[in-house]
Amino acid sequence: MTRTPPATPARVRLWRWRRNPLRRHSDLVEAWIVLAAWLLAALGGVLAGAAAAQATESGLAARRAQAHAVSAVLTDDAARTPAAASGYDDGRVWVAVRWTDPDGSPHTDLAKTLPGTREGTRLTVWTDHAGHMVSAPVTGTDATVQAALTGALAAPAAGATVWGAGRTVRTWLMRRRLAEWDEEWRRAEWGNLSGGKG
């Protein structure tokens, strides 16, 4: 004798969109909210990613416009060995440098160079309009990659925020619908109890 497996109910896809006597108005509203949340999450993610990438590119371009390269001279010999290495160390050492602004103002600061570099060696440093040393601006492929990564991180975050808001509204609708069903069951039971006593 063979046993037949229990029948599993067929899953009806898109049932909230189809007309049927069990569909409530709240089911249709929920279907529209789910559709709108997915569309807005996708569109919002793309737009937020593009905006973040553009803002990053603009910020990097502004930094490039404010910094300019200056030829500086080492005022001391660089140490022959770098300090204790850390995970962020690039093997270079700090050394005092001197440079002169176009208006003739002398400046000194610390810059990184290769170990063992001799006093008097020239190297390029980057300064702002006030003559303060700044980090080298991000250019070329590095700038493009940084802007793209910023956009790639912003896009899912924005999409998830929109999707989460839609999920919150959907949860509220489900709780409201369950409360309505509870109320209808109470009325039906009360009606049956009242009818039975009459």
Side-chain angles (χ1 to χ4, degrees), residues 13-134:
R13 297 197 183 276
L14 303 174
W15 67 271
R16 288 182 179 92
W17 297 99
R18 297 180 180 172
R19 292 193 179 277
N20 69 66
L22 298 177
R23 186 187 76 183
R24 298 170 176 257
H25 177 70
S26 61
D27 294 326
L28 187 59
V29 170
E30 183 180 348
W32 279 107
I33 287 172
V34 169
L35 179 63
W38 278 109
L39 290 175
L40 288 175
L43 182 63
V46 169
L47 292 177
Q54 180 61 40
T56 302
E57 188 63 48
S58 297
L60 293 174
R63 284 184 61 193
R64 282 192 298 271
Q66 292 173 355
H68 58 280
V70 174
S71 179
V73 177
L74 272 65
T75 59
D76 293 316
D77 289 342
R80 294 213 174 268
T81 57
S86 68
Y88 302 105
D89 193 11
D90 60 0
R92 297 185 300 162
V93 295
W94 290 101
V95 65
V97 295
R98 181 183 65 244
W99 72 94
T100 305
D101 271 350
D103 65 1
S105 306
H107 294 278
T108 57
D109 207 332
L110 294 177
K112 277 194 157 189
T113 189
L114 296 174
T117 306
R118 306 289 295 167
E119 178 183 353
T121 304
R122 292 200 165 272
L123 70 138
T124 301
V125 297
W126 292 85
T127 62
D128 60 14
H129 295 300
H132 300 114
M133 193 181 297
V134 295

Side-chain angles (χ1 to χ4, degrees), residues 155-170:
T161 302
V162 173
W163 183 83
R167 183 80 175 167
T168 301
V169 172
R170 186 177 177 201

Side-chain angles (χ1 to χ4, degrees), residues 121-188:
T121 304
R122 292 200 165 272
L123 70 138
T124 301
V125 297
W126 292 85
T127 62
D128 60 14
H129 295 300
H132 300 114
M133 193 181 297
V134 295
S135 59
V138 181
T139 59
T141 304
D142 291 340
T144 304
V145 168
Q146 190 170 334
L149 286 175
T150 302
L153 290 174
T161 302
V162 173
W163 183 83
R167 183 80 175 167
T168 301
V169 172
R170 186 177 177 201
T171 301
W172 177 79
L173 278 174
M174 288 170 66
R175 288 181 180 163
R176 183 176 166 205
R177 184 169 53 242
L178 289 173
E180 288 174 359
W181 284 348
D182 285 344
E183 181 60 31
E184 287 182 22
W185 276 110
R186 276 195 287 277
R187 277 190 265 141

